[in-house]
């Protein structure tokens, strides 16, 4: 067994590191003064006044300068002391944040990000023996096989964990809804390579299908769910026909227009959609016909009565959580399976090169229409669930920003990556909700996190776009840790 010599860290050039850090601190100062330095406060009897927060500006600039120096030292091979120091600052910052010191919480968050970067550097520079390098891909493969089972067990047990309350469950339901939407759009954008900026239109079709049928025909959630998906798929095919010859920016413009058409129709078709007032009192989903009510109506049996439980509104939240979890897992299983079928491989071929795809005898018309229809169907299912969860829908819930957020989830997660979309949904949807404690710094922290991800992972969190099936799989030890 031979042991590779660890790379020797080069000497430290103090002045370039200091100059770079001061330049970063100056940029941070220019940005922080107008964004953080002033706060408007309500002065009784006078109106609005200004509150100066130059102390917070100083903390932010100092954090940027010290962080930049630390990053330079990590790049020079001094990752271990930076890792230990950043972990200590992280613990101290989060401890102070629990006592209400939000500035310490932000410093702790920045130190946590720095600790991750230092840990990655230490891992890469660790002097692995040759046989350990050979075993590492096997360990990675084992972890990759066990990870789905671990995530599934965690997702099933999540509502019963001690720190989970109603608010956390609501956030988890919201995140799972966007995970399902991201997986649906991933078929169109990530697999077939068709840029769709109007995806929220199918979401709205599913939601209004249940809203209208539930109000006018007495449909329950379970009766309206397949209809919402089928009607959204039909709209996907209707959108797919006029855009068959379009690509890239032109396709994005047409789909953007389609999304706005649907929203304007919902706003103006007052007799059916309720116009700007929307549709209220949408029926809630029941558990095999047993509603989640405190007081039963017309001699009905409620969920709590049937199981002998004391009524709690959390029961309905947990039930909604498992509904959207089951729907998301079904979408994931369907997508993973269909990627290995001819239609899935045709999507990937269309994404890589449409001309080569035609030369191979693949019908691009059917390929595009199937991608639009299936992606839209999953959005329709998610929209139906959204209407059942909210009990009220209006066109304000289906604006372009929703399409942008869903597309951002797909791009940030790494187009074509199912797990990446889950991580991106947690970052884009869950993180802003958990950061509400930071009040006015919430979106600033969210933006800083997004910038950090784009700097370190510009291609997405999991940006691998390997074909599902290779004609000639890679051989040798280097391929042991990769997918085939």
């Amino acid at each position: 067994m031979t042991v590779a010599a660890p790379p020797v860290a080069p000497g430290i050039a103090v002045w370039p590191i200091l100059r770079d850090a001061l330049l970063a601190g100056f940029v941070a100062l220019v940005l922080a003064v107008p964004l953080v330095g002033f706060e408007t406060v309500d002065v009784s009897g006078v109106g609005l006044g200004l509150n100066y927060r130059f102390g917070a500006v100083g903390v932010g600039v100092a954090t940027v300068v010290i962080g930049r120096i630390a990053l330079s030292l990590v790049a020079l091979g001094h990752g271990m002391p930076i890792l230990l120091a950043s972990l200590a600052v992280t613990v101290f910052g989060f401890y102070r944040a629990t006592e209400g010191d939000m500035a310490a919480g932000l410093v702790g968050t920045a130190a946590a990000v720095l600790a991750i970067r230092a840990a990655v550097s230490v891992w890469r520079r660790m002097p692995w023996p040759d046989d350990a390098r050979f075993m590492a891909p096997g360990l990675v493969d084992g972890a990759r096989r066990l990870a789905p089972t671990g995530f599934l067990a965690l997702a099933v047990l999540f509502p019963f964990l001690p720190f989970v309350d109603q608010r956390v469950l609501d956030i988890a339901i919201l995140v799972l809804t966007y995970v399902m939407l991201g997986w649906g759009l991933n078929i169109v954008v990530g697999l077939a390579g068709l840029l769709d900026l109007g995806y929220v239109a199918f979401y709205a079709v599913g939601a209004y299908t249940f809203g209208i049928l539930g109000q006018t025909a007495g449909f329950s959630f379970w009766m309206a769910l397949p209809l919402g998906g089928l009607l959204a798929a039909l709209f996907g095919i209707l959108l797919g026909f006029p855009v068959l010859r379009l690509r890239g920016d032109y396709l994005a413009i047409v789909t953007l227009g389609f999304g706005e058409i649907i929203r304007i129709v919902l706003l103006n078709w007052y007799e059916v959609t309720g116009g700007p007032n929307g549709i209220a009192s949408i029926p809630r989903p029941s558990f095999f016909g047993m509603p989640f009510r405190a007081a039963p109506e017309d001699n009905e049996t409620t969920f709590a009565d049937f199981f002998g439980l004391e009524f709690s509104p959390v029961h309905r939240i947990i039930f909604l959580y498992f509904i959207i979890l089951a729907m998301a897992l079904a979408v994931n299983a369907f997508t993973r399976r269909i990627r290995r079928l001819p239609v899935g491989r045709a999507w990937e071929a269309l994404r890589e090169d449409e001309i080569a795809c035609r030369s191979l005898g693949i019908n691009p018309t059917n390929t595009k229409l199937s991608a639009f229809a299936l992606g839209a169907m999953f959005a329709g299912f998610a929209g139906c669930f959204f209407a059942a969860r909210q009990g009220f829908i209006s066109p304000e819930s289906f604006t372009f920003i929703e399409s942008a957020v869903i597309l951002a989830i797909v791009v940030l997660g790494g187009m074509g990556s199912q797990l990446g979309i889950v991580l991106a949904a947690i970052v884009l949807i869950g993180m802003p909700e958990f950061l509400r404690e930071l009040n006015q710094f919430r979106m600033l922290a969210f933006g800083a996190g997004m910038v950090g991800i784009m700097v370190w992972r510009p291609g997405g969190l999991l940006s691998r776009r390997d074909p599902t099936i290779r004609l000639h799989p890679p051989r040798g030890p280097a391929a042991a840790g990769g997918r085939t």
Side-chain angles (χ1 to χ4, degrees), residues 22-365:
L22 291 176
L23 180 61
F26 175 73
V27 175
L29 178 65
V30 172
L31 293 176
V33 167
L35 291 176
V36 182
F38 304 97
E39 179 188 24
T40 55
V41 293
D42 187 12
V43 180
S44 59
V46 178
L48 290 178
L50 274 181
N51 184 23
Y52 302 102
R53 299 183 299 191
F54 294 136
V57 173
V59 172
V61 172
T63 303
V64 170
V65 172
I66 296 173
R68 189 63 188 169
I69 294 174
L71 283 175
S72 299
L73 293 177
V74 169
L76 291 175
H78 302 279
M80 184 56 74
I82 300 300
L83 173 62
L84 298 176
S86 55
L87 286 176
V89 175
T90 301
V91 174
F92 176 76
F94 286 162
Y95 171 74
R96 293 286 301 170
T98 58
E99 298 181 347
D101 190 348
M102 289 297 105
L106 288 175
V107 174
T109 304
V113 175
L114 179 61
I116 294 173
R117 177 67 181 88
V120 171
S121 176
V122 170
W123 170 266
R124 288 176 176 174
R125 292 174 179 271
M126 193 167 290
W128 291 100
D130 291 344
D131 56 346
R133 285 185 180 276
F134 179 74
M135 292 171 57
L139 294 176
V140 171
D141 274 353
R144 185 174 293 164
R145 284 194 297 269
L146 293 176
T149 306
F151 284 134
L152 178 60
L154 178 63
V156 172
L157 297 176
F158 182 78
F160 310 106
L161 296 179
F163 63 88
V164 175
D165 54 11
Q166 186 169 343
R167 174 176 172 270
V168 176
L169 270 179
D170 277 330
I171 296 174
I173 291 172
L174 186 64
V175 170
L176 284 173
T177 305
Y178 278 89
V179 167
M180 186 172 173
L181 288 169
W183 281 341
L185 185 61
N186 192 35
I187 293 176
V188 184
V189 179
L191 299 184
L194 304 171
L195 184 55
D196 187 352
L197 292 181
Y199 192 67
V200 74
F202 310 119
Y203 189 41
V205 169
Y208 271 85
T209 298
F210 178 40
I212 295 171
L213 291 178
Q215 283 286 348
T216 59
F219 275 50
S220 68
F221 168 73
W222 300 109
M223 295 168 63
L225 183 63
L227 295 177
L230 291 176
L231 196 58
L234 177 61
F235 273 77
I237 295 174
L238 293 178
L239 170 65
F241 269 113
V243 301
L244 286 176
R245 295 179 180 274
L246 301 180
R247 305 180 191 175
D249 300 341
Y250 301 102
L251 176 63
I253 292 171
V254 172
T255 54
L256 173 63
F258 175 76
E260 286 301 296
I261 289 172
I262 293 293
R263 190 180 66 83
I264 292 173
V265 168
L266 295 177
L267 272 173
N268 293 281
W269 200 3
Y270 194 89
E271 295 78 10
V272 177
T273 65
N277 297 328
I279 300 175
S281 303
I282 298 175
R284 305 282 188 172
S286 61
F287 183 78
F288 292 101
M290 292 179 284
F292 293 84
R293 293 196 187 99
E297 298 177 356
D298 301 331
N299 297 323
E300 66 183 3
T301 303
T302 65
F303 177 83
D305 292 338
F306 183 81
F307 288 98
L309 302 173
E310 184 178 355
F311 171 76
S312 171
V314 179
H315 293 161
R316 185 180 66 83
I317 305 298
I318 294 176
F319 182 56
L320 289 174
Y321 172 83
F322 281 114
I323 289 178
I324 189 62
L325 177 63
M327 291 170 64
L329 290 176
V331 171
N332 181 45
F334 181 88
T335 305
R336 293 174 65 88
R337 177 61 181 163
I338 203 170
R339 285 181 68 168
R340 296 184 175 277
L341 297 180
V343 64
R345 299 200 295 272
W347 290 340
E348 294 182 344
L350 184 71
R351 178 190 67 190
E352 300 299 329
D353 193 328
E354 183 172 344
I355 296 176
C357 181
R358 287 175 184 271
S359 67
L360 290 173
I362 298 174
N363 187 338
T365 301

